[in-house]
Amino acid sequence: MSFNDRLAERFERIAKILELLGEDKFRVNAHARAARTVEGQAADLSTLAGDKKALTAIEGIGPKIADKIIEFATSGKITELEELEARVPPGLMRVMEIPGLGPKTVAMLWQQARVESLEDLKRIIDDGSILTLPRMGEKSVEKIKKSMAFAAEGNKRLELGVAMPLAELIVYEVQKWPGVERAAFAGSLRRGKDTIGDIDILVATSDMAGTGERFTKLPGVVEVLSSGEGKSSVRMRASADLNRWGADADGQGVQVDLRVIPLDRWGAAMMYFTGSKEHNIRMRERALRRGQTLTEWGLFPNPDDGDPTPPHKRGIKPIAAATEGEVFAALELEEIAPEIREDRGEVDLAEHKGEKGGKGGDGPHRLPRLIEVKDIRSELHAHTTASDGKMSIVELAGEAKRRGFHTITVTDHSKSSAVAGGLSPERLVEHIEAIHAARKDVTGITILAGSEVDILADGSLDYEDALLRRLDLVVASPHASLSQEPVVATERLVRAISHPLVHILGHPTGRLLNRRPGLEPDMREIYAVAKAHDVALEINAHWMRLDLRDTHVKGAMEAGCLVSIDCDVHDPRDFDNLRYGVVTARRGWVTPERCVNTWDAAVLHEWLGKKRQ
Ligand SMILES: [Zn+2]
Ligand SMILES: [Zn+2]
């Protein structure tokens, strides 16, 4: 959250508490207006904290509000807010956050029914006593119940695979607006985090006046939080049913912010709003050391004359601002991919050192060449109708071929995954024959016979070795007993990785985003054993899994492990999840040669064959 956003949130809270306490209407409005003003400012107001005149020059900010901005910038708090908060029960603030529940209603609930928390409110709804209160009919209570449920799920972070298609849909629509020159999403979504808190959309347009209005009228909008020329915020329903608006879906709500950016400042703004915060701090420090100032408005020469007014407000021309490439180049840095802008050493590595092609230094390119979707040439984890997949062997192989893969491995479930249609040893034998037979139906792609074998609770595998040896590839995955103690989980996975017939450890922790945390083994032990036994750790590309997660991938790379990026295909559309797996790999600094799916057919098949000799 930016300084302005945090400040606006505090003014909003002051206004709400004042109203709750029945204070003077004028004071309530002054703070509500200040919140909107502050939020709509493009410049970071903390940079004006030393200049009260500059603050009061902004319309909507009077001397008293300016004092509070200065206090917040210098001390991180606003005394008045703290005093006000002391006058209301802390749980009541949560009640006020329920959308659609105004301060007047909350005050009434507090005074007449002693509601001081969400639990209190839930109690009087459940026992029906809320209906005896003024203006509380069945209909209004029903509305409150819905809002409470919405607010509760609003705290959940949205999965990458739900957020990204929605953001792309928004960008697609925004690009159609008259006057729009550029539109893109930024934030943690652009960095490819597995879950995101909100969606940031930037737009450069010659028709600024209409943007707020058009944005709030997008089909997915369920609530308008604020609307202005510079910035607008809405809440949208996101649908897991991709490529359509979620307004009528049961999906979660997500806040979407639209910011209007001048075209000639596009690159600087994209960098600023993409983050991460820690990465941006590192970049600003570098600029400062070089006698420059980096802001969301550009990279500026540092005038160093003590004037705290931000450079773009003083008419100072930026050294670079229009594209990210320009800004990186002006800072003498190689361009850093969004996915690794996390302050994990990337800025130092991006520094130009030594001559191009010459000796001395480490050469000009020290950042890893990160893996891309187009590098992936095989899918090694896929299910058919034999277990819980939707395609036959031939359909699966045809789809994989259509997508340009040289190898597809059929890996249906093993016998213990009974609910997923796991195969008995007898059925697996027949299935292997069916897979071999399919090779003459679909040519131009290698169809391998494999299995996704359950790793049982003690780390043993779900089939006898003699049967496993008949398979071209074994993915060993944990599916049950996923709340084991870390020590037990480590032993379990280590045993499975050490099995001489296993090639890949599938979705290693078994986590499901927003649903279950999965196993928490000692990952360093896992990396070490996987490297020693030449087992690839899977990055399961399904957006509900993304397991290994980014930080584990980075650890695996540092430990010298191989990874396998697989879509765990059940349905033809699952192949489309590949990009989420690749983004997660990029966040973990994976280079193509460390991912077995990028290898040529001959190299891959030889690697698989080594465990069958
Ligand atoms: Zn699985
Ligand atoms: Zn699977």
Side-chain angles (χ1 to χ4, degrees), residues 312-485:
H312 72 276
K313 287 232 163 153
R314 303 168 60 182
I316 298 177
K317 215 171 119 11
I319 302 162
T323 68
E324 287 191 335
E326 266 173 39
V327 178
F328 278 114
L331 285 166
E332 290 189 272
L333 293 174
E334 199 184 324
E335 197 161 340
I336 301 170
E339 294 93 335
I340 62 168
R341 296 182 195 169
E342 297 288 348
D343 189 26
R344 292 177 185 149
E346 71 280 4
V347 178
D348 283 346
L349 279 180
E351 199 168 301
H352 293 306
K353 278 207 179 138
E355 293 297 310
K356 236 182 203 150
K359 284 180 189 166
D362 296 310
H365 294 290
R366 297 188 304 148
L367 280 175
R369 197 298 239 169
L370 299 176
I371 192 166
E372 295 171 42
V373 168
K374 67 173 166 51
D375 295 322
I376 303 290
R377 308 188 48 215
S378 59
E379 170 63 49
L380 305 177
H381 181 168
H383 301 267
T384 67
T385 47
S387 65
D388 59 351
K390 295 217 171 69
M391 291 176 282
S392 67
I393 301 167
V394 168
E395 285 164 345
L396 172 67
E399 186 66 28
K401 182 181 168 182
R402 198 174 70 74
R403 292 176 186 251
F405 294 137
H406 62 61
T407 298
I408 175 81
T409 308
V410 180
T411 57
D412 281 298
H413 287 286
S414 64
K415 64 178 194 294
S416 290
S417 279
V419 281
L423 306 177
S424 66
E426 297 73 31
R427 281 191 61 212
L428 179 58
V429 170
E430 287 167 22
H431 195 42
I432 294 172
E433 277 160 21
I435 294 165
H436 290 168
R439 288 173 181 164
K440 61 177 184 321
D441 297 320
V442 188
T443 55
I445 184 167
T446 303
I447 309 172
L448 296 180
S451 172
E452 181 182 17
V453 183
D454 266 55
I455 302 173
L456 305 178
D458 65 353
S460 61
L461 299 184
D462 203 17
Y463 291 127
E464 297 295 326
D465 288 1
L467 185 50
L468 293 176
R469 204 168 287 120
R470 295 178 64 173
L471 297 164
D472 302 312
L473 182 151
V474 171
V475 179
S477 310
H479 288 113
S481 307
L482 294 174
S483 40
Q484 282 174 325
E485 288 297 316

Side-chain angles (χ1 to χ4, degrees), residues 20 244 297 373 421 609:
L20 182 70
R244 73 178 185 90
W297 295 91
V373 168

